[in-house]
Amino acid sequence: MSTLALVSALKDHSQDFEFYPTTDAMLNTIREDIQAILSAPFSHKYPIFSALDVGAGDGRALMRLTEGDRYAIEKSLMLVERQDRSVVTVGTDLFAQVLLDLRCDVIFSNPPYSHFGTWSEKIVREANAKLIYLVVPVRWQTDPALQSAIESRKAETEVLAQYSFDTPDAARRARTTVDVVRIRLDKHGRDRGHNYRSDELRVDPFDLWFEQHFAPQSTVSDSSNMDPKATIEARAKKRISTGRDLITSRGLVQALAQFYQNDLSELIGDYERICSLDPILLGGLGVSTEALAKGLKLKIEGLKHVYWRELFGNFRPVTSRLATKTRQRVIDKLQASMSIDFMPENVHALCAWLIKNCNQYFDDQLIELVERLTKKANVIAYKSNQKTFTEEGWRYGRTPEIDRYKLDYRIILECWKALDYGYFGDKSPTLNSTVADLLNDFMTIANNLGFVTRDEISAERQAWEAGQNVLFYFTDQKTGQRSVAFEAKAYKKGTIHLKVNQRLMCRLNVEFGRLKGWVRNAHEAAEEMDISVVQAQAAFNANLRLGQDALLALSAPAD
């Protein structure tokens, strides 16, 4: 869809919040500046860094600026849906967001020009980043609120270039002249002719926020050994455990968000009452601004972690369907988001990201599994594939460039080690962790194809003996009958032999062919793979996909 068509669609749905995509020339200017500042000394490589785009639109600027972690705040759900799956939407409304909790290297924003001042001021005051890049009208230099924010952060500003949106390269034209401004918040300088930089910010955004909201004047430093984070976590857990009825009646997200806001309000109220006391009295008690700020910061951090962990616990039905490495990657990404404010909008944005990414991961991990099992002894060419899989291309553990094939239901894999007998070789055998991950991933993908395996014993917990069959089961969704998904034999020399349920292998092969684009429908699959049309129809599009109902289930009241 062209930008003009997209803008028209946004207007039709009342979601055009001044969407003016940043031009390539502007982004190139920012890229060059980032490279000059963040690149390693004497390196010509473009740096990898984390970035947050506030008002990210369809995410095109993030994709252009960084290969690192990408975070976005965007109000239009239509534009969020168009973002690449690498972009994590951490909020929808800037003014309902606390930016100081989201640490990243760079913040970029091309704000709505009708209120660029308040928008930019909030970013500057709360940014927990080294660099901010703004695309703002030239009058930014006379905006008192923005200038006050810059001064409060002791920041350095520089206009990198001036552009107009009334040019042919603008995807959406407007009679607006803008400055591309860099605002630098980190400590840096020159030492013996070389630039140096520090991860330390000139002014911590939390300290600035604390000073604005609380006003004790005591300077006595004490109370450094307290552990306020553990205290607030215990209180939050108690509120959740005693509030199950509200969770049931209002739905998980709304109930947790209400609990969080109640806890946060009580916490802020406690500190406001403390700070209203006489500063001399506070000083006499050994209470300082520094100690209070540290305590409040730790308590807010602990509070968020409790509620995000409670929510992530309810993601297990989704994350359990991911293969080992993919699951860890998703969990790490979720854990990195635990510092953002626990609000329904942020929860829904993160859930939407999870669903969008998991659907792609479900397909990617199926392809990866089949390709891991692709060895010369295991492949059978499609009927239309007249190529011969010669021995030459498979030597030295390589896999040649082959296409249009399926796997045999009997699989042989050569591993470096299948069974581990301990350092001295005198212990009962256990399964090698790499092989265990492969077998567990096979069970996970079988589950996604409709063969229920989620309650079965994992590979590493099975009893293994060299050359002895180990059975992996599934439960039939229709009949409830328990059957063998595959048999596995591990040998001392490192070989693994699998005998796969033929119905399971049929589904795996059909879905692999569909995802690779080798078969376009069930009839083609039946012809190419020498199976019945009925089998092919049952297998085609059988791989799991999550819909919006998975997101709604978190919001809906329980039955």
Side-chain angles (χ1 to χ4, degrees), residues 240-251 255 259:
I240 293 170
S241 65
T242 57
R244 292 295 171 186
D245 290 343
L246 185 59
I247 291 177
T248 302
S249 63
R250 297 199 58 186
F259 293 161

Side-chain angles (χ1 to χ4, degrees), residues 39 101 128 162 170 188:
S39 289
D101 298 320
N128 198 345
Q162 193 170 95
H188 68 97

Side-chain angles (χ1 to χ4, degrees), residues 340-384:
I340 64 176
D341 230 14
F342 193 88
M343 301 160 41
E345 296 84 355
N346 293 347
V347 171
H348 290 142
L350 201 60
C351 291
W353 172 86
L354 178 68
I355 291 169
K356 179 168 65 175
N357 279 268
C358 282
N359 281 332
Q360 186 63 52
Y361 287 142
F362 294 150
D363 291 344
D364 290 347
Q365 65 193 22
L366 186 149
I367 292 173
E368 182 182 348
L369 174 71
V370 175
E371 290 178 344
R372 287 166 72 184
L373 301 177
T374 298
K375 305 298 177 185
K376 185 176 185 298
N378 305 336
V379 298
I380 301 171
Y382 281 9
K383 279 189 176 181
S384 64

Side-chain angles (χ1 to χ4, degrees), residues 433-462:
S433 61
T434 302
V435 177
D437 286 346
L438 173 65
L439 299 181
N440 288 333
D441 290 348
F442 202 155
M443 290 288 278
T444 297
I445 289 161
N447 192 74
N448 294 349
L449 289 171
F451 297 78
V452 180
T453 63
R454 56 178 171 265
D455 295 325
E456 299 297 334
I457 301 173
S458 60
E460 63 273 15
R461 292 174 57 201
Q462 301 262 32

Side-chain angles (χ1 to χ4, degrees), residues 83-356:
Q83 292 171 0
D84 185 83
R85 65 191 182 102
S86 65
V87 177
V88 182
T89 304
V90 295
T92 56
D93 185 348
L94 169 64
F95 296 102
Q97 194 78 27
V98 181
L99 296 183
L100 54 87
D101 298 320
L102 182 60
R103 184 162 191 170
C104 57
D105 297 310
V106 173
I107 293 180
F108 168 77
S109 187
N110 176 3
Y113 300 133
S114 61
H115 50 281
F116 81 91
T118 53
W119 183 284
S120 303
E121 178 200 1
K122 181 175 174 65
I123 291 174
V124 172
R125 287 194 184 279
E126 298 184 6
N128 198 345
K130 305 169 190 174
L131 302 168
I132 301 173
Y133 291 91
L134 300 176
V135 178
V136 285
V138 293
R139 63 184 185 277
W140 70 274
Q141 299 187 65
T142 59
D143 186 283
L146 176 55
Q147 293 304 314
S148 173
I150 292 170
E151 183 178 350
S152 70
R153 296 299 301 270
K154 299 180 182 178
E156 295 179 2
T157 63
E158 182 176 341
V159 177
L160 303 179
Q162 193 170 95
Y163 294 99
S164 171
F165 274 97
D166 196 17
T167 56
D169 67 327
R172 184 182 183 185
R173 299 178 71 166
R175 294 181 180 178
T176 305
T177 302
V178 295
D179 286 341
V180 176
V181 183
R182 183 232 295 141
I183 302 175
R184 190 158 188 178
L185 304 176
D186 63 333
K187 294 180 178 180
H188 68 97
R190 293 181 64 82
D191 182 20
R192 297 181 182 179
H194 297 291
N195 289 319
Y196 69 87
R197 61 181 185 272
S198 169
D199 288 336
E200 187 177 353
L201 302 182
R202 293 167 180 261
V203 176
D204 188 301
F206 186 89
D207 292 343
L208 181 64
W209 176 84
F210 189 87
E211 289 173 8
Q212 289 176 331
H213 288 80
F214 305 99
Q217 301 299 316
S218 172
T219 58
V220 178
S221 294
D222 202 350
S223 308
S224 56
N225 295 321
M226 61 183 179
D227 186 11
K229 185 176 177 181
T231 304
I232 201 68
E233 285 187 1
R235 185 192 300 177
K237 288 177 181 177
K238 182 177 180 180
R239 188 189 292 274
I240 293 170
S241 65
T242 57
R244 292 295 171 186
D245 290 343
L246 185 59
I247 291 177
T248 302
S249 63
R250 297 199 58 186
L252 179 69
V253 172
Q254 293 298 329
L256 290 180
Q258 181 177 323
F259 293 161
Y260 171 75
Q261 288 300 327
N262 292 344
D263 278 337
L264 186 62
S265 296
E266 288 182 10
L267 182 60
I268 298 296
D270 290 343
Y271 274 77
E272 286 177 338
R273 285 187 287 276
I274 292 172
C275 293
S276 67
L277 297 175
D278 189 318
I280 297 175
L281 174 62
L282 290 176
L285 294 173
V287 179
S288 69
T289 302
E290 180 185 350
L292 286 171
K294 177 184 176 182
L296 181 57
K297 187 174 185 178
L298 286 173
K299 284 189 175 183
I300 292 176
E301 179 184 311
L303 189 63
K304 291 175 182 175
H305 285 194
V306 168
Y307 283 99
W308 282 114
R309 278 198 297 267
E310 180 71 18
L311 181 72
F312 295 163
N314 288 272
F315 286 171
R316 289 193 191 99
V318 175
T319 56
S320 66
R321 293 174 177 266
L322 295 171
T324 308
K325 291 181 180 178
T326 310
R327 181 168 59 251
Q328 191 57 53
R329 189 158 64 243
V330 169
I331 290 173
D332 288 345
K333 185 69 74 173
L334 292 173
Q335 295 287 346
S337 303
M338 285 174 64
S339 61
I340 64 176
D341 230 14
F342 193 88
M343 301 160 41
E345 296 84 355
N346 293 347
V347 171
H348 290 142
L350 201 60
C351 291
W353 172 86
L354 178 68
I355 291 169
K356 179 168 65 175

Side-chain angles (χ1 to χ4, degrees), residues 519-530:
V519 290
R520 293 170 294 180
N521 53 56
H523 290 278
E524 285 187 7
E527 177 63 27
E528 291 283 17
M529 300 182 197
D530 196 23

